[in-house]
């Protein structure tokens, strides 16, 4: 059984708000949110889940997620597409709530209130 975690959800369509949502940190949940197979990019105390087939299927570009990842210090070579799901991780690699510093950065970048 998975515990619920506060995840930062960054949809690709700009008409959909960036939000914090309490989710089950399970593979099936992640697959549903990213609309397909999942890949994780890990950096410092967080990781972002993306659709790992985004380069092969027509998913919309996610400019907000790409800006957030770059502003957080991640150097990415490929554009970010589709919904992004950001969670934190502990010393053992287990999912935990999205780190407060990433929520603050998202609030600043997207002018959004994201209280977890």
């Amino acid at each position: 059984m998975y515990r619920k975690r506060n995840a930062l959800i960054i949809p690709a369509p700009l008409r959909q708000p960036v939000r914090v949502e309490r989710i089950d940190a399970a593979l099936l949940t992640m697959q549903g949110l990213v609309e397909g197979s999942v890949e994780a990019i890990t950096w410092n105390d967080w990781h972002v889940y993306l659709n790992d087939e985004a380069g092969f299927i027509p998913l919309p570009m996610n400019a907000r997620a790409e800006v957030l990842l770059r502003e957080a210090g991640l150097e990415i070579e490929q554009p970010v597409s589709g919904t992004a799901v950001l969670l934190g991780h502990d010393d053992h690699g287990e999912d935990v709530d999205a780190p407060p510093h990433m929520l603050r950065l998202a609030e600043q970048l997207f002018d959004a209130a994201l209280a977890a």
Side-chain angles (χ1 to χ4, degrees):
M1 181 161 100
Y2 292 91
R3 293 187 57 202
K4 298 258 185 189
R5 303 291 184 211
N6 290 324
L8 178 61
I9 312 292
I10 310 165
L14 295 176
R15 68 183 177 283
Q16 295 179 13
V18 173
R19 66 191 186 278
V20 173
E21 187 174 312
R22 195 128 179 99
I23 65 168
D24 284 319
L27 180 60
L28 285 176
T29 302
M30 298 303 169
Q31 288 172 328
L33 288 167
V34 304
E35 301 178 48
S37 298
V38 175
E39 74 170 319
I41 300 173
T42 301
W43 184 254
N44 295 331
D45 62 344
W46 55 269
H47 50 269
V48 62
Y49 292 104
L50 302 165
N51 186 309
D52 74 348
E53 298 175 332
F56 308 107
I57 57 177
L59 291 175
M61 299 294 293
N62 192 332
R64 294 182 295 191
E66 190 166 331
V67 167
L68 178 67
L69 300 179
R70 289 183 190 279
E71 288 293 319
L74 183 64
E75 294 182 23
I76 51 177
E77 296 177 15
Q78 301 295 322
V80 175
S81 298
T83 298
V85 179
L86 190 137
L87 285 165
H89 59 83
D90 64 17
D91 293 337
H92 304 287
E94 297 295 319
D95 289 322
V96 297
D97 291 342
H101 66 92
M102 291 300 290
L103 298 179
R104 285 191 301 273
L105 180 58
E107 285 179 329
Q108 292 169 359
L109 291 171
F110 311 131
D111 194 29
L114 299 171

